[in-house]
Amino acid sequence: MQTSTTSKLLVSDIASSVDRVPSSYIRQISDRPNISDVDISGDSIPLIDLQELHGPSRANIIHQFAHACSSYSFFQIKNHGVPEKTIERMMTVAREFFHQPESERVKHYSADTKKTTRLSTSFNVGSEKVSNWRDFLRLHCLPIEDFINEWPSHPVSFREITAEYATSVRALVLILLEAISESLGLEKDRVSNTLGKHGQHMALNYYPPCPQPDLTFGLPGHKDPNLITVLLQDEVSGLQVFKDGKWIAVHPIPNTFIVNMGDQMQVISNDKYKSVLHRAVVNSDKERISIPTFYCPSFDAVVGPQQELLINEEEDSPAIYRSFTYGEYYEKFWDRALATESCIDSFKISKT
Ligand code: OGA
Ligand code: NI
């Protein structure tokens, strides 16, 4: 069956009616997933058990954070305190949202990257040349009462479940930020204190099955612009992390979250903890849902390398980045197509 795909806004509504990937999704040969180059062996990134964080072994766990953040920038966490039920309800309502009829979903469609609640597709349809096999609903969620009335009201439990999930993940993030701050040798509230009023965004990513997954990406390689990302994913693999010149597949473990550092962590830590390249591939038989929480400074917060990290015992390590407001950074991020080069480079202090 050949249906016209040109009138469709969302890839979900194209995916089920094509047996080939439309040309607008096809990447150049040098820019494809190339499965033979990917390490799929499993147990690839550290798994930190948060159970002990508040007990006598805290120092040991903080040490694990330091190692995970400085050598991987990507780790998994278990015993994280977000109730299993909350996670399950969030995943179910996300799936229900994307399974609604097109007419219901497209009510939320917008290509305006400044909108605080919107459904869109690919990454930035206004700036990119090749599309990605992904739809996503983006939500701002801090403070919840400022945004909840913009969120979808269907499924009917969407707002309640998403609010409960966002609140629970925020509590987890605050614990992670204390641990990360300590692991950098800073006061535990230091990282949190640099974020102004704090910001929290979520994405519900929906990757439909793709007839030719080797020609396109769900999301191509990118670094997250925010401070720290806490990713919930369903049981379908797709996430890959770039480490030591190689892509590594991260296979989902039930009831864990994936945590990764974003650009703001790299700036605040003056390159001690790097923002890390990652991507999502699609597959031909299963839809995949992932739900990242992007924790970030508020837009008016001024971000820059922390003073204490600029001095070490042997030598001064000068600030690599100038200070900026997160609003300035965020605008720059969305202005470009999602690119492998991070926009962090344009905030570097030039050496000459
Ligand atoms: C993202 C992202 C990965 C995934 O949304 O920024 O990296 O597995 N998602 O969906
Ligand atoms: Ni990402």
Side-chain angles (χ1 to χ4, degrees), residues 150-170:
E150 305 175 353
W151 294 356
S153 53
H154 287 91
V156 286
S157 54
F158 184 91
R159 291 180 181 176
E160 181 205 326
I161 292 174
T162 305
E164 177 190 319
Y165 178 80
T167 303
S168 200
V169 171
R170 176 167 195 242

Side-chain angles (χ1 to χ4, degrees), residues 268-307:
I268 286 173
S269 72
N270 206 39
D271 274 2
K272 285 197 160 57
Y273 293 171
K274 294 270 180 53
S275 184
V276 63
L277 202 55
H278 56 284
R279 66 186 189 182
V281 297
V282 288
N283 73 84
S284 56
D285 49 40
K286 285 190 179 127
E287 65 181 20
R288 173 170 182 264
I289 290 178
S290 74
I291 306 180
T293 292
F294 303 111
Y295 209 81
C296 53
S298 48
F299 289 132
D300 60 350
V302 177
V303 181
Q306 296 306 289
Q307 200 61 42

